[in-house]
Amino acid sequence: MFAYLLEKLSNWLETAERQRRETYLASSADIVQLEQRLRSLESHGYSL
């Protein structure tokens, strides 16, 4: 039971993180800013 809850929590957190990243990328003003944000995420992880 504990493993099941842990897995569900993990899935929920992954989904929330993916949505935050997509929102962050979608708010880019232009392609240059989008590319900068993508590079930033690849090298440093998510940060605003």
Side-chain angles (χ1 to χ4, degrees):
M1 182 67 173
F2 181 72
Y4 173 79
L5 292 175
L6 194 57
E7 181 181 344
K8 289 296 183 183
L9 178 61
S10 176
N11 289 341
W12 180 78
L13 292 173
E14 288 175 16
T15 300
E17 179 63 20
R18 185 172 44 254
Q19 288 175 344
R20 280 191 296 269
R21 286 179 184 229
E22 288 177 3
T23 300
Y24 173 65
L25 294 174
S27 67
S28 300
D30 55 26
I31 191 71
V32 174
Q33 189 177 45
L34 175 61
E35 290 176 352
Q36 290 171 340
R37 289 179 180 204
L38 283 169
R39 275 189 247 111
S40 176
L41 285 174
E42 289 172 353
S43 61
H44 298 69
Y46 182 76
S47 64
L48 289 175

